[in-house]
């Protein structure tokens, strides 16, 4: 090297050396000192915890396999605008497939957002067509939409499923949500630039999702349709605001039909929420309580006979008035009926007679039977949100001596229709109180079956007492309630006309008219409870609810006894 170049080389080396040292230090820092931190940052940028799409929610069918609720495959078509090179071209090609105007799609695709939804309701054919285009920045994701093919039919029994969260609410959908839902599966995987789609793997361990349980109900669609039809007819004819029909097999507690009006379409549940009509979702059979009125006299009579407080052939003199705990109780029509046996007491529906039975028992014995029949506690039926009713008991701070007389004829006590039906079913079933149930069996994803077995909750009265009460109720229908009689069958039953509690007392005009009955008396196969709220044509159950019962029984008894 020439001598005159050496100073220049030294000078350049002097200038370059610090740069090389800085680069070497930086390389050492990145590769060694902070390598762990940079690796973690890289993982955070390319690896995500993704939730895999749910498998379909379990379906629901009636006792004969007719579908009541199932999940239908739909597609969400969504896009990431920053990753779409030509939004106008994409809008043009998607518009005819999704049946959406081009300008509508364009307005969505130009939004400054990392992801936008173009539609949640694409069919299988539309989803397949979009996937086949392989458009940059456009993806298709499957989801399961809950479908209720019979719309308002049995809606209170079924409940509904939220389309966005997949969570079940009310009825069976709410109660059985944990087993109907497919478990969500989390997958840690590398994702594409959108951060929302996994990269393809040649080999990976992915947990397999499973579908929810399939529920087979005790409900018979044919019986349900008859119940819905006659309830709607009765409500129109008698001008009722609300109504309910509950049909049960008294031998097992199986619910064969549950019709509630007004009803709702679970396919369109959001519309009711938007209009502030959430009350329509409540199931009158289990979510609300009412004063049962004279149907409760069945319980009073059963307790009095079973305890020996009165004998089967005993009579009493009805003077039209009786005083219990400082309160004077009168018959519903204010009349005195003179000498009456137990059939006359039930046939005329005498409040004085019911109070007389309760005073013969005394508070301790009377309320022991009330509790034994299941009042004041949930029945355990497999429907969401069951309430316990309300029973004031001796010793409670809010109990008064006068309650003994009022409760005897179903005033001042609150029950659910499910409780009332189950209690009267115990009389029909030889004194055995059964737990009501709606699901006959669950079919698990692996094909195994979980059967629901009838459960005896207790034996409030003896078989002999049950037969005696059934005979009294049957004779009362035959002699005093021809509007509830069913040609060709012996029917046991009782009307109930109850006042409606309002702040400060009772509504002076509105009533809850009900009838509960069962038959054939020799071998009861069906128990039917009818409830009509605020009927306008007549406040009396004998002129409204009993008529609906008769029509129902005439159509259903032949189905049950063949």
């Amino acid at each position: 090297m020439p001598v005159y170049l050496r100073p220049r080389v030294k000078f350049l080396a002097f200038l370059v050396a610090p740069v090389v040292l800085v680069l070497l230090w930086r390389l050492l820092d990145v590769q060694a000192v902070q390598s762990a931190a940079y690796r973690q940052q890289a993982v955070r940028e390319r690896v995500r915890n993704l939730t895999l799409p749910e498998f379909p929610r379990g379906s629901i069918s009636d006792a004969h396999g007719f579908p009541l609720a199932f999940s239908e495959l739909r597609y969400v078509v969504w896009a990431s605008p920053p990753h779409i090179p030509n939004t106008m071209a994409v809008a043009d090609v998607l518009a005819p497939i999704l049946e959406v105007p081009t300008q509508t799609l364009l307005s969505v695709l130009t939004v400054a957002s990392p992801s936008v939804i173009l539609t949640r309701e694409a069919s299988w054919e539309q989803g397949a067509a979009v996937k086949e285009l392989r458009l940059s920045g456009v993806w298709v994701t499957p989801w399961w939409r809950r479908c209720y093919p019979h719309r308002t039919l049995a809606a209170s029994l079924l409940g509904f499923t939220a389309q966005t969260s997949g969570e079940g609410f009310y009825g069976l959908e709410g109660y059985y949500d944990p087993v109907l839902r497919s478990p969500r599966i989390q997958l840690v995987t590398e994702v594409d630039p959108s951060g929302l789609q996994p990269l393809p793997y040649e080999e990976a361990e992915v947990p397999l999702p499973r579908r929810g349980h399939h529920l087979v109900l005790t409900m018979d669609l044919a019986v349900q349709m008859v119940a819905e039809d006659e309830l709607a007819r009765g409500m129109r004819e008698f001008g009722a605001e609300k109504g309910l029909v509950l049909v049960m097999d008294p031998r097992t507690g199986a619910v064969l039909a549950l019709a509630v009006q007004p009803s709702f379409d679970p396919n369109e549940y959001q519309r009711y929420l938007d209009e502030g009509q959430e009350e329509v979702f409540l199931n009158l059979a289990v979510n609300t309580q009412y004063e049962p009125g004279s149907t409760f006299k069945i319980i009073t009579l059963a307790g009095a006979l079973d305890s020996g407080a009165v004998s089967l052939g005993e009579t009493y003199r009805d003077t039209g008035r009786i005083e219990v705990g400082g309160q004077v109780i009168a018959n519903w029509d204010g009349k005195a009926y003179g000498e009456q046996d137990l059939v006359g007491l039930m046939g005329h529906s005498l409040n004085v007679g019911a109070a007389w039975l309760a005073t013969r028992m005394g508070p301790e014995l009377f309320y022991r039977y009330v509790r034994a029949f299941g009042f004041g506690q949930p029945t355990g039926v497999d429907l969401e949100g069951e309430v316990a009713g309300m029973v004031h008991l001796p010793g409670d701070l809010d109990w008064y001596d006068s309650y003994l007389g009022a409760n005897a004829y179903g005033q001042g006590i609150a029950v659910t229709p499910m409780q009332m039906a189950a209690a009267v079913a115990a009389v029909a079933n030889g004194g055995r109180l059964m737990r009501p149930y709606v699901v006959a069996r669950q079919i698990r994803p692996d094909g195994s079956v979980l059967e629901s077995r009838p459960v005896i909750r207790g034996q409030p009265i003896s078989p002999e007492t049950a037969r005696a009460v059934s005979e009294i109720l049957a004779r009362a229908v035959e002699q005093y309630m021809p509007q509830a009689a069913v040609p060709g069958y012996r029917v046991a039953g009782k009307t109930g006309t109850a006042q409606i509690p309002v702040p400060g007392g009772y509504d002076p005009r509105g009533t809850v008219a009900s009838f509960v009955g069962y038959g054939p008396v020799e071998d009861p196969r069906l128990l039917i409870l009818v409830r009509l709220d605020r009927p306008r044509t007549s406040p009396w159950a004998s002129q409204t609810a009993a008529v609906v019962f008769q029509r129902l029984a005439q159509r259903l008894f032949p189905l049950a006894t063949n």
Side-chain angles (χ1 to χ4, degrees):
M1 178 183 298
V3 175
Y4 66 89
L5 290 179
R6 291 178 182 173
R8 295 181 183 181
V9 172
K10 291 180 180 179
F11 179 73
L12 288 174
F14 177 78
L15 292 177
V16 172
V19 176
V20 173
L21 289 174
V22 169
L23 291 175
L24 289 174
W25 167 250
R26 184 58 179 160
L27 184 61
L28 179 64
D29 182 55
V30 171
Q31 294 292 331
V33 179
Q34 298 191 53
S35 61
Y38 283 115
R39 278 197 299 269
Q40 292 175 2
Q41 182 179 345
V43 168
R44 286 196 299 269
E45 290 179 355
R46 73 176 191 275
V47 176
R48 293 286 190 274
N49 190 351
L50 297 182
T51 300
L52 295 183
E54 282 187 292
F55 253 44
R57 187 177 177 86
S59 56
I60 303 174
S61 66
D62 88 325
H64 304 291
F66 293 106
L68 301 172
F70 57 87
S71 295
E72 180 182 61
L73 183 63
R74 307 296 285 181
Y75 285 93
V76 177
V77 180
W78 57 283
S80 179
H83 297 91
I84 298 178
N86 189 333
T87 54
M88 187 64 199
V90 169
D92 281 335
V93 74
L94 289 180
I97 297 175
L98 301 182
E99 299 177 0
V100 177
T102 301
Q103 288 301 318
T104 301
L105 287 178
L106 192 61
S107 65
V108 177
L109 290 172
T110 53
V111 171
S113 173
S115 64
V116 292
I117 292 179
L118 305 183
T119 179
R120 288 184 53 85
E121 295 293 335
S123 65
W124 183 89
E125 293 80 8
Q126 290 172 318
V130 173
K131 283 193 291 185
E132 193 172 321
L133 293 174
R134 299 182 181 276
L135 297 172
S136 176
V138 178
W139 296 275
V140 174
T141 304
W143 70 287
W144 298 95
R145 182 176 68 177
R146 198 64 164 168
C147 296
Y148 302 89
H150 301 286
R151 303 185 73 82
T152 60
L153 188 80
S156 291
L157 185 72
L158 295 171
F160 64 86
T161 301
Q163 301 291 23
T164 51
S165 67
E167 183 179 358
F169 294 93
Y170 298 96
L172 293 166
E173 295 279 27
Y175 188 91
Y176 283 98
D177 186 60
V179 299
L180 282 169
R181 294 185 78 172
S182 168
R184 302 306 297 268
I185 293 178
Q186 302 291 323
L187 177 64
V188 179
T189 182
E190 291 194 41
V191 295
D192 66 7
S194 72
L196 300 172
Q197 290 291 313
L199 292 176
Y201 268 75
E202 293 183 3
E203 182 178 347
E205 289 187 8
V206 179
L208 295 177
R210 59 175 175 81
R211 66 175 59 240
H213 293 197
H214 169 60
L215 304 184
V216 179
L217 307 187
T218 58
M219 187 262 272
D220 186 310
L221 190 58
V223 177
Q224 179 72 28
M225 294 177 73
V226 171
E228 300 261 3
D229 181 51
E230 291 298 345
L231 176 60
R233 177 186 176 188
M235 289 188 64
R236 289 193 304 268
E237 183 174 340
F238 304 120
E241 291 182 2
K242 296 179 181 179
L244 170 143
V245 165
L246 175 59
V247 183
M248 181 183 293
D249 184 340
R251 300 167 298 178
T252 62
V255 175
L256 305 179
L258 175 55
V260 175
Q261 288 290 341
S263 188
F264 65 96
D265 185 348
N267 296 294
E268 301 179 9
Y269 72 92
Q270 188 62 49
R271 174 168 61 86
Y272 301 92
L273 293 174
D274 294 341
E275 296 173 358
Q277 299 182 42
E278 295 92 337
E279 186 179 344
V280 76
F281 300 141
L282 294 177
N283 186 333
L284 293 183
V286 295
N287 300 148
T288 64
Q289 57 190 30
Y290 71 112
E291 293 196 0
S294 293
T295 56
F296 204 80
K297 290 171 183 171
I298 298 174
I299 309 306
T300 303
L301 173 64
L305 282 173
D306 193 72
S307 65
V310 293
S311 60
L312 195 55
E314 195 165 350
T315 63
Y316 81 105
R317 182 164 187 78
D318 189 281
T319 61
R321 295 283 189 279
I322 188 173
E323 186 269 327
V324 180
Q327 179 176 331
V328 176
I329 293 172
N331 287 323
W332 61 274
D333 57 0
K335 297 179 181 179
Y337 283 78
E339 198 74 17
Q340 291 292 319
D341 60 9
L342 298 179
V343 174
L345 187 160
M346 299 303 285
H348 292 300
S349 194
L350 301 177
N351 295 344
V352 171
W356 168 71
L357 291 174
T359 56
R360 291 287 293 267
M361 281 190 282
E364 182 180 347
L365 201 53
F366 173 76
Y367 288 103
R368 185 188 305 167
Y369 279 96
V370 170
R371 294 290 289 178
F373 272 103
F375 295 103
Q377 52 199 307
T379 65
V381 66
D382 47 344
L383 292 171
E384 187 181 48
E386 183 184 18
V387 299
M390 181 185 66
V391 178
H392 299 286
L393 299 173
D396 292 347
L397 294 177
D398 57 355
W399 187 81
Y400 299 93
D401 292 342
S402 59
Y403 281 180
L404 176 64
N407 291 172
Y409 60 90
Q411 190 173 70
I413 187 170
V415 307
T416 68
M418 191 67 71
Q419 285 176 329
M420 198 70 233
V424 178
V427 178
N429 190 37
R432 291 181 297 274
L433 180 68
M434 308 301 293
R435 183 178 70 192
Y437 66 104
V438 182
V439 172
R441 60 186 179 275
Q442 300 179 44
I443 302 176
R444 299 187 180 99
D446 62 4
S448 61
V449 178
L450 177 62
E451 296 280 353
S452 298
R453 303 291 184 185
V455 175
I456 300 175
R457 298 173 59 205
Q459 180 93 29
I461 57 176
S462 69
E464 294 75 20
T465 300
R467 285 193 293 271
V469 174
S470 289
E471 182 61 27
I472 290 170
L473 294 175
R475 290 171 58 192
V477 170
E478 291 164 353
Q479 297 177 30
Y480 300 99
M481 285 179 280
Q483 62 272 39
V486 181
Y489 301 91
R490 289 197 80 206
V491 173
K494 183 73 188 74
T495 56
T497 301
Q499 292 178 284
I500 301 174
V502 295
Y506 287 91
D507 188 324
R509 293 176 296 276
T511 62
V512 173
S514 62
F515 189 94
V516 59
Y518 54 89
V521 170
E522 299 77 16
D523 182 20
R525 300 295 183 89
L526 293 180
L527 177 137
I528 302 172
L529 185 147
V530 177
R531 169 181 158 183
L532 299 175
D533 288 20
R534 300 181 186 275
R536 288 197 298 270
T537 60
S538 169
W540 306 112
S542 58
Q543 299 174 10
T544 55
V547 177
V548 177
F549 168 86
Q550 182 189 59
R551 294 169 180 167
L552 273 165
Q554 284 178 327
R555 296 177 67 178
L556 294 181
F557 278 12
L559 297 177
T561 54
N562 286 342

